[in-house]
Amino acid sequence: MYICLCHAVRTVEINDAVAAGHRDLEAIAKELGVATSCGTCAGHAQAIIDSALANDIPNETQYYAA
Ligand code: FES
């Protein structure tokens, strides 16, 4: 699902960024551009980050490993 329409950032990309060690919105904004234009997505992006941190979601490559 697209979270940031300005930068075409999807949930999976935010989860992957968290799994790669980007632990807050500021770090993920620098990495993906999310919430750096209109800012409408910031709250939703933060909720996804919080959920990913709480669930320790692995990145996409880990889903398909082995
Ligand atoms: S929707 Fe994310 S910055 Fe505009």
Side-chain angles (χ1 to χ4, degrees):
M1 174 174 146
Y2 281 96
I3 302 305
C4 177
L5 297 180
C6 293
H7 298 279
V9 177
R10 297 171 298 160
T11 304
V12 66
E13 292 156 341
I14 294 173
N15 285 335
D16 284 351
V18 171
H22 301 90
R23 298 310 219 193
D24 57 34
L25 183 57
E26 183 179 354
I28 290 175
K30 285 181 183 173
E31 179 72 11
L32 302 176
V34 65
T36 60
S37 292
C38 74
T40 302
C41 62
H44 199 173
Q46 183 64 62
I48 291 166
I49 294 163
D50 292 345
S51 178
L53 290 171
N55 294 312
D56 196 22
I57 294 173
N59 66 32
E60 212 165 54
T61 57
Q62 291 171 310
Y63 284 123
Y64 303 109

